Amino acid sequence: MIGLVSWQETRDTLARTVWVAAAVLLMTAALILTKTGRDALYFQKAGLFDLPKAYAGIALLAGPMAGMILLVMRFVGPRAFRIGVPLVAGAGLVWFSALVRPGGGLLMTLFFMSVPLFFGVMFSLAWLMAADLLDHLPARNLGRPYSLIGAASIVGGILGGITARLLAPYMEAPRFLVIGGVTLAAAALVMAAAQTKYPVHQSAAPLPETRDPHPLRTLLRQRYILILVAIAVTGSLTGVLIEFQFFLAAATSGNDARENAVLFANLYTWLNVGALLVQLLLVPELQKWIGVGGSLLILPGALVGGAAALVASTTLLARSGLRAAEGGLKASIHRSNWEQAFVPIARAGRSLAKVLIDGIGTRLGEGLAAVIVFVWLAGLGEAGLDGRNTLWLNILLVGVALTWFLLSRRLAALLPAVSVPAADKVDLKPDIPIPDS
């Protein structure tokens, strides 16, 4: 009888994991298709010079957007919100595909900004569904489900990249937005079906009569939350500086929109292929050996070394390799472990913490990157993009990545190892009363 119950619990956990994995797979494929079309168009002509405006705009809009998200979530609940946002965003992509033009400018810069803003929110909500559906499991048993969801996300990136690569020679870049929008709507339908099949059962205990009047202030008093915010800022800043190096290489390549679409599709495909191999072969074993905290050190540690190598060599191969390493490790080892860092936060406060850390903290890092990139571009003078030295930019990148690594070490000291059964939760009371349905 005990064996039968255990088998039924395993089947139930696997079924819940598959639903989340399918939604994340479709959402990642939609992101890759959308980014392929967006990047192929934006980095034509003088689009690169508008990139600091896009990064700055993302940072400035992060706060108001987070406030709007919290307001709507309090009104309709996170479960309804995570379905509505991708449906609206998918319809918006299909509509906007008729308006896009090659190069920068106000319209294209606004579109460039909207992609990370909206997809960031949607991915946070999709991964939060994993925390909702798997909330009954102890932390030590979450490694395998989160690893499978992370692998599904990478497979979605591969499928999106392969699709873009096959279609790029024959399809205009705006059509990728249409395909991305339809795929995003499919992800929303999968999440709706999952939430219908697995509703959140509220506790039979009576709810407290009082609410915390300052929930954000309560979260910011927690050292654990502050470290997560600081990691989000430094991690985002590191990623954007690496991304800019690759965009710089693309902007100076002389490619047209279709050729750039092939370039970006190839990068996204191989990046995700490498990430999938790491996810399947290394991630489960790494969590057994070094736990969640130790696994969160791998990406910043690797980028410290990669950025140091970039100081010595700024070839296209070095820039592409660092971008592939950053994207591949983030999608494989880092993402699934980063999401598990939210599990110790009580469910009632998890939604607000997600918005604060992934919504605001990440965008603050992008805002700092916007200032740095703007200063670098302003110093071009008559040398042009091809003649400008990136030495100080790369030295700064080393410093930021090292800061990220040190913050992650501090987080690892606070996080219990997933193999320790007595430490399933970190005490982050009082809970923040945000509805779960």
Side-chain angles (χ1 to χ4, degrees):
M1 180 63 69
I2 295 177
L4 178 60
V5 172
S6 177
W7 167 243
Q8 290 174 341
E9 290 176 348
T10 301
R11 286 184 58 189
D12 179 69
T13 299
L14 180 60
R16 291 168 182 260
T17 302
V18 168
W19 278 105
V20 180
V24 173
L25 183 151
L26 289 168
M27 193 172 289
T28 307
L31 173 63
I32 296 301
L33 289 162
T34 301
K35 285 177 63 177
T36 298
R38 181 201 68 174
D39 296 348
L41 289 163
Y42 195 72
F43 294 105
Q44 294 293 297
K45 302 177 181 179
L48 186 73
F49 288 89
D50 285 331
L51 191 58
K53 300 176 185 176
Y55 287 145
I58 291 169
L60 290 173
L61 290 176
M65 189 168 183
M68 180 193 71
I69 290 169
L70 290 174
L71 180 64
V72 177
M73 278 200 303
R74 283 183 179 273
F75 182 72
V76 303
R79 289 164 71 87
F81 191 66
R82 78 167 52 102
I83 298 169
V85 174
L87 286 176
V88 172
L93 284 173
V94 174
W95 171 76
F96 193 74
S97 65
L99 304 178
V100 293
R101 298 290 183 271
L106 178 61
L107 182 66
M108 290 300 295
T109 298
L110 288 173
F111 175 57
F112 190 96
M113 292 160 46
S114 69
V115 172
L117 282 171
F118 278 95
F119 271 95
V121 169
M122 291 184 290
F123 273 112
S124 290
L125 293 171
W127 277 92
L128 194 58
M129 187 172 75
D132 286 350
L133 268 59
L134 301 172
D135 191 64
H136 62 289
L137 293 178
R140 65 183 181 275
N141 293 343
L142 288 173
R144 180 65 64 178
Y146 272 82
S147 179
L148 289 174
I149 296 169
S153 176
I154 298 168
V155 171
I158 294 173
L159 294 176
I162 291 175
T163 302
R165 178 63 182 88
L166 293 175
L167 295 178
Y170 314 104
M171 181 181 289
E172 296 296 332
R175 299 303 176 207
F176 289 108
L177 308 186
V178 177
I179 304 174
V182 173
T183 307
L184 198 53
L189 295 178
V190 170
M191 288 189 288
Q195 292 182 162
T196 301
K197 185 174 179 63
Y198 301 106
V200 173
H201 299 291
Q202 301 295 338
S203 173
L207 293 175
E209 296 293 330
T210 59
R211 286 177 176 264
D212 188 340
H214 304 292
L216 184 60
R217 185 184 304 173
T218 301
L219 275 181
L220 290 176
R221 288 173 178 167
Q222 304 293 336
R223 181 176 53 173
Y224 186 82
I225 299 294
L226 292 176
I227 293 175
L228 288 175
V229 172
I231 289 174
V233 173
T234 53
S236 173
L237 177 54
T238 302
V240 171
L241 291 178
I242 292 172
E243 180 184 64
F244 174 73
Q245 296 272 2
F246 181 72
F247 285 158
L248 176 63
T252 56
S253 65
N255 293 338
D256 60 21
R258 285 194 177 185
E259 291 169 332
N260 266 347
V262 172
L263 173 66
F264 288 114
N266 283 335
L267 173 70
Y268 296 141
T269 300
W270 288 111
L271 182 153
N272 283 286
V273 168
L276 179 62
L277 294 176
V278 172
Q279 181 75 16
L280 294 177
L281 300 178
L282 294 180
V283 170
E285 296 303 319
L286 280 173
Q287 285 201 350
K288 292 179 182 178
W289 296 336
I290 59 178
V292 173
S295 298
L296 287 173
L297 297 174
I298 294 175
L299 175 58
L303 296 185
V304 170
L310 201 61
V311 173
S313 173
T314 56
T315 62
L316 174 60
L317 180 61
R319 287 169 170 168
S320 300
L322 183 59
R323 176 68 181 94
E326 188 266 343
L329 291 175
K330 180 183 289 184
S332 56
I333 294 175
H334 190 75
R335 184 67 195 236
S336 58
N337 285 282
W338 174 249
E339 293 299 331
Q340 289 181 71
F342 289 88
V343 173
I345 304 172
R347 176 188 286 178
R350 206 176 284 150
S351 298
L352 179 56
K354 259 291 190 182
V355 173
L356 173 66
I357 296 163
D358 282 350
I360 297 179
T362 298
R363 304 314 166 200
L364 285 176
E366 292 175 349
L368 291 173
V371 175
I372 295 168
V373 171
F374 176 79
V375 171
W376 185 85
L377 289 172
L380 287 177
E382 298 180 357
L385 289 173
D386 294 307
R388 181 65 176 172
N389 190 285
T390 59
L391 178 60
W392 73 264
L393 202 63
N394 297 331
I395 293 175
L396 177 64
L397 176 58
V398 174
V400 175
L402 181 59
T403 303
W404 178 10
F405 177 81
L406 295 175
L407 287 168
S408 297
R409 284 190 62 187
R410 189 72 191 102
L411 180 70
L414 294 177
L415 267 173
V418 293
S419 60
V420 179
D424 293 338
K425 296 289 182 184
V426 172
D427 185 13
L428 292 173
K429 305 293 185 179
D431 293 347
I432 310 302
I434 292 179
D436 289 289
S437 60

